[in-house]
Amino acid sequence: MKLGLGLYKHILTDDNFRFAKQAGATHIIAQLVDYIKGDSPTLTKDFLKGWGTTQNQGKLWKYDDLVALRKQVESHGLTLAGIENFDPSHWYDVLLDGPKKKQQIEDVKTMIRDIGRAGIPVMGYYFSLAGVWGWTNGPMGRGAANSIVFNASKIDVQDPVPNGMVWNMTYDTQAAGGNIGSISREEMWGRLKYFLDELMPVAEEAGVKMVAHPDDPPLPVMRDTARLFYTQEEYEKLLTVNPSPNNGFELCMGTVQEMVGSDVYAMLDKYSKAGKIGYIHFRNVVGKVPHYREAFIDEGDVNMVKALRILKSNNYDGVLIPDHTPEMTCAAPWHAGMAFALGYMKGAMQAIESE
Ligand SMILES: O=C(O)[C@@H](O)[C@@H](O)[C@H](O)[C@H](O)CO
């Protein structure tokens, strides 16, 4: 198994590649969507009105830029292991089954071909209308660390998605008022099937694994739209939608742990054996839906060392990234939180590997 760090678009910089290397990471997962901004990113803000606006319609990720990014990462002795998340500008009508769907699926295919050609082996995506939404936050972590909290009783869980928004980002600032309406689970499975059936042959040819993130938070319906991967059983159905060897999981341990009735160890065991995990969000949490808080890696409900032992026993050779952590009280709260998580992971991995 490999230690990685996920970096947002704004922090794909030489300094942060050095930071990753210094903390013992060997791999980078890059996010290209402009949604969590700033040199010192924070996830503990009010994002109930969205992550922001994206206006990249028709401006696809370019092959030359992807190669340049890979080379920049490699210049620090690191490997670019994957890209996480499509830009809503590029695929909103694929998610929404809108009039530009055919063009946008062709655009996504073009980007997958270019990602493969650029030597990037994994693309993580999140097939969701409401997206990551509903978080609140507060000094709820150990030592009053600012943490992400989900408490269904504190928000209007079915507050509808306004027109012009999907995946918790606004892609059309001129959209007419109103909202996208109620979307059923059957409809969402159909949209996912279309997406996978169109893309998997291209991903196979391009040598790119397409891996799906589970629903965060894992509730069956949010903002009046059905969510697909809100229990472990439902998440596992991903593999039945399309049998491609390139169809797999961006396995977020935190989100799986937040699901009612889940067994994150069983999921790790089964799918690391089956070679179906593209990479892992190795994070911890206290509680489950409808009420949980994100936790420091060592203080949550998941025994992370047990999880690593399972991965080791199955010879999992993929990447683990911390994904989120509570923020630490200092001048660089995100970086300190990540350094703490990476240090824990490095130590635990070394200990287990020498057993
Ligand atoms: O990296 C982050 O902070 C999050 O945005 C992701 O964990 C997110 O849940 C996934 O990328 C799915 O969108």
Side-chain angles (χ1 to χ4, degrees):
M1 42 196 161
K2 293 158 184 154
L3 185 62
L5 179 65
L7 293 171
Y8 304 114
K9 183 180 166 78
H10 276 253
I11 53 171
L12 289 167
T13 63
D14 287 323
D15 274 356
N16 286 302
F17 296 139
R18 286 188 196 105
F19 170 84
K21 182 87 184 170
Q22 288 157 9
T26 52
H27 289 68
I28 297 292
I29 299 285
Q31 299 215 27
L32 303 178
V33 181
D34 193 14
Y35 74 139
I36 294 168
K37 300 183 203 278
D39 297 338
S40 183
T42 181
L43 295 171
T44 59
K45 281 201 319 211
D46 182 358
F47 295 115
L48 290 170
K49 296 262 176 290
W51 300 110
T53 299
T54 168
Q55 302 272 263
N56 294 319
Q57 285 83 338
K59 292 183 225 151
L60 307 189
W61 300 332
K62 290 203 190 81
Y63 168 74
D64 287 347
D65 294 339
L66 295 165
V67 171
L69 176 62
R70 177 174 58 72
K71 290 195 171 152
Q72 191 188 358
V73 168
E74 286 171 357
S75 75
H76 293 274
L78 296 158
T79 302
L80 182 54
I83 309 278
E84 180 162 325
N85 293 326
F86 289 115
D87 188 326
S89 283
H90 295 152
W91 71 323
Y92 58 87
D93 269 354
V94 175
L95 291 168
L96 292 164
D97 194 25
K100 300 204 170 106
K101 170 173 164 167
K102 286 228 159 75
Q103 178 57 50
Q104 291 183 357
I105 201 86
E106 293 308 317
D107 289 349
V108 173
K109 287 181 195 171
T110 300
M111 289 189 290
I112 293 298
R113 286 190 192 99
D114 284 343
I115 287 168
R117 212 153 56 90
I120 305 167
V122 177
M123 179 68 216
Y125 66 95
Y126 176 29
F127 202 93
S128 169
L129 301 184
V132 177
W133 180 84
W135 293 348
T136 53
N137 61 81
M140 309 302 181
R142 182 172 60 203
N146 257 340
S147 310
I148 293 165
V149 177
F150 180 70
N151 186 347
S153 71
K154 294 274 191 259
I155 58 162
D156 175 4
V157 176
Q158 302 310 341
D159 183 24
V161 179
N163 283 328
M165 173 181 265
V166 75
W167 205 84
N168 207 21
M169 288 192 88
T170 299
Y171 64 89
D172 182 0
T173 52
Q174 310 299 316
N179 57 64
I180 69 168
S182 176
I183 313 288
S184 72
R185 173 147 303 101
E186 292 67 33
E187 174 66 28
M188 285 304 290
W189 280 117
R191 293 183 192 181
L192 177 71
K193 185 164 169 50
Y194 169 81
F195 172 78
L196 291 178
D197 290 352
E198 288 286 320
L199 278 183
M200 281 306 152
V202 175
E204 284 175 27
E205 210 179 296
V208 176
K209 280 196 175 154
M210 299 279 306
V211 294
H213 192 278
D215 281 302
D216 179 352
L219 282 181
V221 181
M222 285 192 98
R223 310 198 80 176
D224 212 12
T225 59
R227 288 160 94 70
L228 293 172
F229 304 138
Y230 69 100
T231 64
Q232 191 169 326
E233 292 71 29
E234 295 298 299
Y235 191 22
E236 292 186 72
K237 283 187 194 160
L238 167 72
L239 301 185
T240 66
V241 178
N242 185 295
S244 169
N246 291 42
N247 179 22
F249 299 105
E250 178 188 333
L251 205 152
C252 177
M253 287 172 55
T255 311
V256 171
Q257 178 61 28
E258 290 153 14
M259 294 172 177
V260 173
S262 62
D263 181 343
V264 70
Y265 310 111
M267 179 121 200
L268 287 171
D269 188 33
K270 185 166 171 191
Y271 295 109
S272 59
K273 252 185 211 133
K276 280 294 182 186
I277 302 178
Y279 63 98
I280 294 177
H281 282 181
F282 196 77
R283 68 173 172 84
N284 218 333
V285 62
V286 174
K288 285 179 177 284
V289 289
H291 188 186
Y292 61 80
R293 70 171 170 92
E294 296 190 2
F296 285 114
I297 192 159
D298 63 300
E299 61 151 351
D301 294 341
V302 182
N303 179 335
M304 303 306 265
V305 174
K306 179 173 168 181
L308 287 177
R309 285 212 172 93
I310 291 168
L311 295 171
K312 189 202 166 197
S313 71
N314 293 338
N315 297 315
Y316 173 68
D317 69 350
V319 174
L320 299 96
I321 64 170
D323 185 38
H324 310 157
T325 87
E327 293 169 0
M328 298 185 83
T329 307
C330 65
W334 183 89
H335 285 83
M338 286 296 156
F340 176 76
L342 289 166
Y344 174 99
M345 290 164 75
K346 185 84 186 165
M349 283 158 87
Q350 274 187 345
I352 286 168
E353 266 148 24
S354 66
E355 277 171 359

